[in-house]
């Protein structure tokens, strides 16, 4: 699986996926013993059959972050239920005016400029500010959250082993302590006077008759900060990359803005922000004719599944009006992304505002964009663009 760590492959893993899907859709990496699943059918099985494919990666010898995304039922069900009400489509719809206000405020800072970094100046702060406000942290602290998230993301490098892995773990330990101190202050204020935010709700919550520990609340805080922005940031950035690569599709969207929701779905499929999710076999499992032993780490390659020709006609075509579009970019089954309605809203608002203010958008760098430092996510670290502002 070393190929997944090269910059070129992370920018464009799709030719590799196509080859592997044809030749060996279920593949064991001899160096690490990790299994990878590349075809739609196999990925759906890994996502849906949670009795066979669990989420507790510590069972395969990896660190335990205490995030409920890595829990199995029944604990998973209970922890997810504590916060799920905050993310229902109806609750999220109520956030639209605030999301739009934040998006406009950020774009205002770029007004009059014919070039800016659409990732650093827009796609990073927008979702971070939104999730910070939902949690109950100051939105202005977003750049600190980005720094923390970057360190947490690099934990994925531990799959590679070696010096980089050791460095990633040491950096994470330091950031975890910094986050714990930061969170303790927010929790102290809320212990005295609860507010209408997720941290207050977690402080009051009970699971099996007991309150959550500070460590458990920290795990929620970390998971939501990271999941709440890395992915949506990449969705917005990947949309800009896809539009730049396919000007005729952007023209179609500009001519008919009602296509925006389906364009967002197509970016989710075509350049999936999350390329792989982690599973661990809970028993010996047969998949695609391979016998996978219990406690093996399995990567369900959703980025590849979303380009499987057996499921999507012309999978390598970017079509803003594609229908049906049953992608698995948000996963499937009991771990289906809790933030899907929120990220769809954020992407729709962000891209709608960006397109409304510009007549043209083009990538500004002649250099290829620099991919995020983890193989399981897909997006640019920074993305300078040239724009022609629309005259008012
Ligand atoms: C789970 C993708 C945005 C919170 C997931 C999973 C995927 C995913 C693939 C399944 C993980 C698995 O099966 O192991 C995405 C994408 C996003 C996005 C592509 C944006 C484009 C968000 C946002 C939030 C969020 C905005 C929070 C505010 C979560 C949480 C889970 C999750 C808490 C764990 C659910 C569980 O284990 O039950 N996401 N996500 N995500 N996502 Fe997202």
């Amino acid at each position: 699986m070393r190929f997944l760590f090269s910059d070129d492959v992370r920018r464009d893993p799709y030719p590799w996926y196509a080859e592997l899907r044809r030749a060996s859709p279920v593949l064991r990496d001899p160096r690490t013993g990790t299994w990878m699943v590349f075809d739609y059918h196999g990925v759906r099985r890994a996502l849906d059959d949670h009795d066979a494919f669990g989420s507790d990666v510590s069972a395969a010898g990896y660190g335990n972050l205490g995030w409920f995304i890595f829990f199995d039922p029944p604990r998973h069900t209970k922890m997810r239920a504590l916060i799920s009400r905050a993310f229902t489509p109806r609750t999220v719809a109520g956030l639209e005016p605030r999301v739009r206000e934040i998006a406009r405020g950020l774009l205002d800072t770029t007004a009059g400029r014919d070039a800016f970094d659409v990732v650093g100046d827009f796609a990073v702060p927008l979702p971070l500010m939104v999730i910070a406000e939902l949690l109950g942290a100051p939105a202005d602290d977003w750049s600190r959250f980005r720094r923390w998230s970057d360190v947490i993301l690099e934990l994925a490098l531990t799959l590679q082993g070696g010096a980089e892995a050791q460095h990633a773990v040491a950096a994470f330990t330091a950031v975890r302590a910094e986050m714990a101190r930061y969170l303790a202050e927010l929790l102290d204020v809320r212990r005295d006077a609860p507010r209408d935010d997720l941290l207050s709700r977690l402080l009051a919550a009970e699971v099996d008759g007991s309150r959550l520990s500070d460590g458990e609340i920290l795990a929620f805080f970390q998971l939501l900060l990271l999941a709440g922005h890395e992915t949506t940031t990449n969705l917005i950035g990947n949309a800009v990359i896809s539009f730049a690569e396919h000007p005729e599709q952007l023209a179609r969207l500009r001519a008919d803005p009602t296509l925006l929701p389906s364009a967002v779905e197509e970016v989710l499929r075509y350049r999936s922000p999350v390329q792989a999710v982690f599973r661990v076999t809970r028993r010996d499992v047969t998949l695609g004719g391979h016998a996978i032993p219990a406690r093996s780490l399995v990567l369900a390659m959703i980025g590849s599944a979303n380009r499987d020709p057996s499921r999507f006609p012309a999978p390598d075509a970017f079509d803003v009006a594609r229908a049906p579009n049953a992608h698995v970019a948000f996963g499937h089954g009991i771990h289906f992304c809790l933030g899907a309605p929120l990220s769809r809203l954020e992407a729709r608002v962000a891209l709608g505002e960006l397109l409304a203010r510009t007549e043209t958008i083009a990538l500004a760098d002649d250099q290829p964009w620099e991919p995020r430092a983890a193989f399981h996510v897909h997006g640019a670290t920074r993305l300078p663009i040239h724009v022609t502002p629309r005259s008012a």
Side-chain angles (χ1 to χ4, degrees), residues 69-81:
I69 196 170
F70 296 126
F71 290 179
D72 293 322
R75 187 99 183 140
H76 166 260
T77 320
K78 293 174 187 170
M79 297 301 248
R80 180 171 166 126

Side-chain angles (χ1 to χ4, degrees), residues 240-254 318 320 361:
V240 173
I241 294 171
S242 305
F243 295 157
E245 286 172 336
H246 304 276
E248 77 297 344
Q249 293 296 316
L250 177 57
R252 206 170 154 202
L253 175 58
R254 283 192 185 277
F318 177 69
V320 292
I361 298 180

Side-chain angles (χ1 to χ4, degrees), residues 36-262:
M36 286 176 280
V37 185
F38 291 95
D39 65 310
Y40 185 90
H41 183 75
V43 165
R44 276 293 297 272
R45 163 94 195 279
L47 296 175
D48 291 344
D49 184 356
H50 58 267
D51 282 333
F53 296 90
S55 288
D56 177 7
V57 291
S58 65
Y62 289 89
N64 183 351
L65 290 167
W67 300 0
F68 76 85
I69 196 170
F70 296 126
F71 290 179
D72 293 322
R75 187 99 183 140
H76 166 260
T77 320
K78 293 174 187 170
M79 297 301 248
R80 180 171 166 126
L82 293 182
I83 57 166
S84 57
R85 278 214 344 255
F87 294 100
T88 60
R90 182 199 273 240
T91 313
V92 164
L95 300 174
E96 176 158 353
R98 178 64 184 138
V99 172
R100 198 169 292 282
E101 186 179 27
I102 295 176
R104 288 186 174 159
L106 290 166
L107 286 176
D108 284 347
T109 65
T110 70
R113 283 158 54 191
D114 60 3
F116 62 95
D117 173 6
V118 72
V119 166
D121 297 337
F122 187 47
V124 168
L126 173 68
L128 268 175
M129 291 170 80
V130 173
I131 192 70
E133 289 186 359
L134 282 176
L135 281 160
D140 284 351
D141 285 347
W142 67 264
S143 56
R144 182 188 322 210
F145 304 148
R146 176 66 167 179
R147 179 168 56 80
W148 289 342
S149 301
D150 281 354
V151 170
I152 298 176
L153 188 69
E154 285 179 16
L155 275 182
L157 298 177
T158 54
L159 273 184
Q160 255 182 124
E164 280 202 318
Q166 280 173 17
H167 175 80
V169 171
F172 173 69
T173 307
V175 155
R176 190 176 189 282
E178 200 184 329
M179 290 182 88
R181 283 194 300 275
Y182 179 91
L183 182 65
E185 281 182 31
L186 295 177
L187 293 182
D188 275 350
V189 176
R190 281 157 185 78
R191 271 194 190 96
D192 295 339
R195 299 184 186 177
D196 183 17
D197 58 33
L198 274 173
L199 290 182
S200 301
R201 198 176 299 174
L202 288 170
L203 272 174
E206 282 189 11
V207 176
D208 297 333
S210 12
R211 291 282 166 94
L212 300 179
S213 67
D214 285 4
E216 284 171 322
I217 300 183
L218 176 62
F220 271 105
F221 186 66
Q222 289 175 332
L223 171 60
L224 289 174
L225 269 189
L226 190 69
H229 96 278
E230 175 70 36
T231 48
T232 309
T233 294
N234 293 339
L235 173 57
I236 297 168
N238 293 351
V240 173
I241 294 171
S242 305
F243 295 157
E245 286 172 336
H246 304 276
E248 77 297 344
Q249 293 296 316
L250 177 57
R252 206 170 154 202
L253 175 58
R254 283 192 185 277
D256 180 2
T258 64
L259 287 175
L260 189 51
S262 84

Side-chain angles (χ1 to χ4, degrees), residues 1 25-29 32-38 42-43 45-47 52-57 60 62 70 159 276-283 285 287 291-302 375:
M1 57 186 287
V26 177
L27 181 69
R28 179 178 179 275
D29 176 46
T32 57
T34 301
W35 291 79
M36 286 176 280
V37 185
F38 291 95
V43 165
R45 163 94 195 279
L47 296 175
F53 296 90
S55 288
D56 177 7
V57 291
Y62 289 89
F70 296 126
L159 273 184
V277 299
F278 300 80
R279 290 293 183 269
V280 177
T281 44
R282 301 175 79 182
R283 51 175 168 79
V285 177
L287 185 68
I292 308 182
R295 286 181 298 284
S296 300
L297 189 68
V298 177
L299 297 178
M301 308 298 293
I302 57 183
F375 73 91

